[in-house]
Amino acid sequence: MKLKKIASFFLIGTISVLTFTGCGDSKQDLSKKDSLVMTTGAVRTLDSVKASDSESFNMIQNTQETLLVYNHDKPYPGAAKSFDVSKDGLTYTFHLRDGLKWSDGKPLTSEDFKYSWMRLLNPDVGASYAFFLFPVVNAEKYYTGKGNAKDVGISTPDKNTLVVKLEHRVPYFDQVVAFSALSPQREDIVKKFGEEYGTKPEKLVYSGPYVVKEWKKGAKVELQQNPNYWNANEIKVPTIRLMEIKEFNTKYQMFANDQLDVIEGGTGDYINKLKEGEKEGKWKIDYSAMPSIFFTKYNVKSENKALANSKVRLALSLAVDRKGFTDMIIKTCIPAYGFVPPGILEGDLDYRKEVKEPLKEIKFKDPKDLLIEGLKEEGLDQDPSKYTFKYLLQGSTAGTKTQAEFMKDVWEKKLGIHVEIVPTADFSDYLQKENNGEYDLAFSGWSGDYNSPLTFLDLFMKGNGSNTGGYNNEKVNDLLKKLDNEGDPKKRIEISKQIELEEIVKDPAMAPIYYQDMNSFQKNYVEGLQFTKFGGRYQLRWVSIKK
C-alpha cells in the first residue's frame, strides 16, 4: 500500500532532562493549568500528501480536518456533517458543514478536498499513499500515466459537496476517508511555497482543532488552539507541547516529577515502575492491544546476494527468538508468528481467530541447514561465516541498542553469520535510509490505517511506497488485486490467508517479531485523551484538564 505509517516503538530526539529543570512541580496548581506536555518522535513533514510515517500523521491528524475523523476508533463526522452511499455502494456523497474556515479565515470548500486528493494521485508528486484512492474511478490510471486527471471520479457539484465514484465496493472506504493523508489543502498555499510547503509551521494553513505554533526539529512541537476551527468552542486545552526526548529513562523521570503529563510505551523495568505508580494512585494507565506489528524487513535488492534467496530469508526468520525478545528484552508486547495482529476484522470476523499464524502451523528443519541450502541454490559460498548482514535500527537509544544486540546474538549463534548493527540519529534519519534501501535487514514497524487485513498485507505489493526492499511476488500482487475487489468477508479471509503464507513462509518479505500493545500513562487530571488504533496515534480534540 503505502509507506503506511512506519511506526516507531521508541520515540527519539535530542533533549536532555536538564533542559526542563523547573518546568514542573510535584504539586501543580491545576486551577491555572491550561496546557499539556507530551512526547513526540521526529516529525518529517506537515504536508499530508507527502507524509508517510506515524509521527508526521500524529501532527496532521490534530491540525487538519478530514471529512470524517476517528472517535474511539470509528469514523465520526469531521469536516463533513454527513454522507450518503448509493445502493450499489459505488458512489459516496459527502456534505460539508456550513461556514468551514482555514486558520487564516478564508473559506474551506469541497474544492480544497478535491485539490488535495488529486495532488495525492498526481504521478509527479509521488505520494506514498496514492494507492489509498486507487479504488476511485480512473484514479490508478491517472497515477500510472494511462489516464487523465479530468476522468478521475471525484467531483464538486457545489462548494459544500464532494462526490466520489468507486470502481468497486470498498467495505472500509469511510475509514480511508478518515485517514490524515486525505486532509484538505489550499491550492494557492501549496503553489506559493512549492517544495517548502509543509516544512515549517508558517508554510501552510490549518483546518483542524490546532495549529502548529512552533516546530523546532529535534526538540519540540507546540500546538495552539485554532480559533477558526468549526468546533473551536469545544476545545478545552488551548496549548499542547510535544517534546522530543531521546531516552525513556529521561521521560520517566520527567513524568514522575510532573514535567510531562502523558507518556507512552516503556519497556523492561520502567513498565513495572509505572504500573506500581498507578497502583499507588499517582497516575492512571490506559492499556490496549494495538493494530501494529514490528518486524525485520528484508532488502532483496541488497548487494548482499544471499538475500535474493527465499530460504535464506526464511532461515533468518526461523532463527528469531520471539518469546525471548518479548519476555527478556522489552518485557511487554506479544510474540508474532504472523503478519496481521489480533483484533483486525474482516466484516464481523476476527482474522487472527479465523486464521492461525503461519509460523506456528508449519514445521521446519534447522535454520542453519536451510540457510546453507539457500546459499547453494544461489551458487554462493556455502560458509555462513563469509556473510555480513547490515542491520538498520530506528535510532541509537540504549533501548534500541539492547534490542539489536539481542537479535545480533541470536542470528550469529544460530546461523553462523555476522551482523553489523547500523544505528541512526533519529526516526527521521532511519526513514530516509530505509527509503533509500541502505540496509540488508531493517527493524521496521507498521500501524494499520483501517480495520482490515489488507492494511498490512499490501505493504509488500509491487509499487507500494513502503516496499523499499524491492520485494516482487507476482502471486502476491495478483492476490492483493483480487482481495481489493472481493466483497465477501469469508472469501476475503481466505485470500488474505494465502497472501500471509506467501509473505512469511514461501517467499518471505520479512520476519515478524512482535505485535505491539500500548501502555499510556496519564496524570489523573488528564481526561478525554484518545489513543487511536488507526490513523495518527492520538486525538487531542476531546482532551481536557480536570480542575
Side-chain angles (χ1 to χ4, degrees):
M1 269 181 133
K2 36 205 156 193
L3 177 97
K4 287 177 172 170
K5 301 192 316 297
I6 285 183
S8 63
F9 187 71
F10 292 95
L11 303 183
I12 48 187
T14 56
I15 294 178
S16 163
V17 67
L18 297 177
T19 306
F20 296 95
T21 301
C23 290
D25 190 315
S26 59
K27 295 182 180 179
Q28 299 188 63
D29 184 355
L30 296 179
S31 66
K32 298 180 180 180
K33 187 174 178 61
D34 62 354
S35 66
L36 290 179
V37 186
M38 302 170 58
T39 60
T40 181
V43 178
R44 298 185 72 205
T45 181
L46 296 175
D47 183 348
S48 59
V49 166
K50 292 186 175 181
S52 60
D53 63 284
S54 58
E55 302 306 332
S56 297
F57 280 129
N58 285 336
M59 296 302 110
I60 295 166
Q61 177 167 276
N62 290 287
T63 59
Q64 302 293 357
E65 190 81 340
T66 42
L67 292 168
L68 305 176
V69 300
Y70 276 111
N71 184 4
H72 295 293
D73 299 318
K74 294 183 179 181
Y76 182 84
K81 61 184 178 182
S82 64
F83 68 96
D84 306 314
V85 185
S86 62
K87 289 183 179 180
D88 60 8
L90 299 181
T91 302
Y92 283 71
T93 303
F94 295 93
H95 307 284
L96 273 63
R97 299 177 187 277
D98 294 327
L100 291 174
K101 294 181 180 179
W102 289 95
S103 55
D104 63 358
K106 292 188 176 181
L108 191 162
T109 72
S110 56
E111 284 291 338
D112 297 321
F113 281 96
K114 180 179 179 179
Y115 171 75
S116 174
W117 291 19
M118 292 302 297
R119 182 170 176 251
L120 191 72
L121 289 168
N122 188 330
D124 294 332
V125 174
S128 296
Y129 272 79
F131 70 93
F132 248 39
L133 290 175
F134 283 179
V136 175
V137 169
N138 292 320
E140 186 172 7
K141 289 181 180 179
Y142 168 52
Y143 180 78
T144 56
K146 299 176 182 179
N148 299 314
K150 64 182 179 63
D151 297 322
V152 175
I154 302 172
S155 60
T156 54
D158 57 60
K159 66 178 183 179
N160 284 344
T161 307
L162 183 77
V163 179
V164 184
K165 294 185 177 181
L166 306 180
E167 300 270 9
H168 56 82
R169 282 180 178 268
V170 180
Y172 48 84
F173 191 68
D174 58 340
Q175 297 181 55
V176 170
V177 169
F179 193 72
S180 301
L182 274 69
S183 299
Q185 293 187 342
R186 275 254 301 280
E187 183 175 6
D188 62 320
I189 300 296
V190 175
K191 289 184 175 180
K192 176 181 179 180
F193 293 111
E195 289 299 313
E196 292 189 327
Y197 176 78
T199 61
K200 295 181 180 180
E202 64 272 16
K203 295 187 182 297
L204 70 171
V205 288
Y206 305 91
S207 57
Y210 290 92
V211 302
V212 180
K213 181 181 180 182
E214 183 179 10
W215 176 17
K216 186 175 181 180
K217 295 182 180 180
K220 65 179 180 178
V221 179
E222 182 170 322
L223 305 181
Q224 193 170 69
Q225 182 181 1
N226 178 5
N228 285 319
Y229 178 56
W230 68 269
N231 202 24
N233 292 337
E234 296 301 316
I235 304 303
K236 304 300 183 185
V237 180
T239 304
I240 307 287
R241 297 183 176 90
L242 299 129
M243 318 308 302
E244 260 189 75
I245 304 169
K246 186 168 186 176
E247 299 286 354
F248 196 85
N249 66 328
T250 304
K251 295 182 191 180
Y252 172 78
Q253 293 298 331
M254 292 176 64
F255 183 68
N257 292 329
D258 284 342
Q259 294 172 301
L260 285 173
D261 300 301
V262 180
I263 58 173
E264 309 161 52
T267 60
D269 294 336
Y270 288 107
I271 284 289
N272 296 331
K273 289 181 181 180
L274 287 162
K275 288 182 177 179
E276 187 62 32
E278 187 265 341
K279 290 179 181 177
E280 295 172 2
K282 294 180 179 179
W283 43 72
K284 56 188 176 182
I285 181 174
D286 182 3
Y287 171 84
S288 63
M290 299 297 290
S292 302
I293 183 171
F294 285 80
F295 55 95
T296 296
K297 178 185 287 190
Y298 302 131
N299 185 356
V300 298
K301 291 188 174 181
S302 166
E303 293 180 0
N304 188 332
K305 301 302 181 184
L307 284 170
N309 187 273
S310 60
K311 289 182 179 178
V312 171
R313 301 196 301 271
L314 181 57
L316 286 161
S317 178
L318 295 177
V320 175
D321 181 1
R322 294 164 173 83
K323 195 170 189 308
F325 189 90
T326 55
D327 288 354
M328 296 186 293
I329 303 302
I330 59 176
K331 299 181 181 179
T332 185
C333 299
I334 305 162
Y337 298 88
F339 195 44
V340 180
I344 295 296
L345 304 180
E346 197 61 87
D348 294 328
L349 300 173
D350 187 320
Y351 175 80
R352 202 72 280 165
K353 290 181 179 179
E354 299 291 321
V355 178
K356 293 183 179 180
E357 294 170 289
L359 287 178
K360 284 184 175 180
E361 287 294 288
I362 301 174
K363 304 296 181 183
F364 300 100
K365 61 175 67 178
D366 180 87
K368 187 172 183 179
D369 292 340
L370 193 63
L371 171 68
I372 293 171
E373 280 186 26
L375 294 173
K376 183 178 180 180
E377 287 182 356
E378 294 300 311
L380 300 172
D381 192 312
Q382 296 170 48
D383 181 358
S385 67
K386 299 286 184 67
Y387 298 89
T388 297
F389 293 81
K390 294 182 179 180
Y391 185 36
L392 183 69
L393 308 188
Q394 286 193 350
S396 57
T397 66
T400 55
K401 288 177 180 177
T402 299
Q403 294 179 38
E405 290 294 342
F406 177 87
M407 297 290 286
K408 170 183 167 74
D409 184 64
V410 168
W411 279 324
E412 291 186 341
K413 285 182 177 178
K414 290 187 177 182
L415 299 175
I417 61 175
H418 298 286
V419 176
E420 177 188 340
I421 295 174
V422 182
T424 53
D426 57 22
F427 189 50
S428 182
D429 181 38
Y430 163 82
L431 288 174
Q432 181 174 346
K433 287 181 169 60
E434 198 262 358
N435 288 340
N436 292 336
E438 298 175 27
Y439 66 94
D440 296 328
L441 313 172
F443 179 81
S444 189
W446 197 260
S447 294
D449 297 325
Y450 49 85
N451 202 352
S452 169
L454 183 60
T455 191
F456 295 93
L457 300 175
D458 66 357
L459 178 61
F460 297 104
M461 186 173 187
K462 181 182 178 181
N464 185 312
S466 295
N467 187 5
T468 58
Y471 181 80
N472 184 16
N473 181 315
E474 287 304 322
K475 183 176 181 180
V476 168
N477 296 336
D478 291 342
L479 285 170
L480 284 167
K481 291 177 182 178
K482 184 178 179 181
L483 177 61
D484 197 33
N485 286 278
E486 179 57 61
D488 181 81
K490 290 186 177 180
K491 291 181 180 178
R492 289 177 64 86
I493 285 177
E494 186 56 38
I495 298 170
S496 296
K497 178 181 178 180
Q498 295 178 57
I499 297 170
E500 188 178 35
L501 183 63
E502 284 284 332
E503 292 179 343
I504 294 177
V505 178
K506 294 182 178 180
D507 184 30
M510 52 78 204
I513 304 174
Y514 63 88
Y515 304 123
Q516 185 181 9
D517 56 10
M518 169 61 74
N519 291 288
S520 164
F521 297 91
Q522 308 171 19
K523 292 303 174 71
N524 293 320
Y525 48 78
V526 178
E527 295 187 337
L529 177 61
Q530 292 187 24
F531 282 86
T532 52
K533 291 185 176 180
F534 307 101
R537 199 168 62 255
Y538 42 71
Q539 284 281 19
L540 299 171
R541 66 190 69 215
W542 295 293
V543 72
S544 63
I545 298 171
K546 184 179 180 181
K547 303 295 186 179

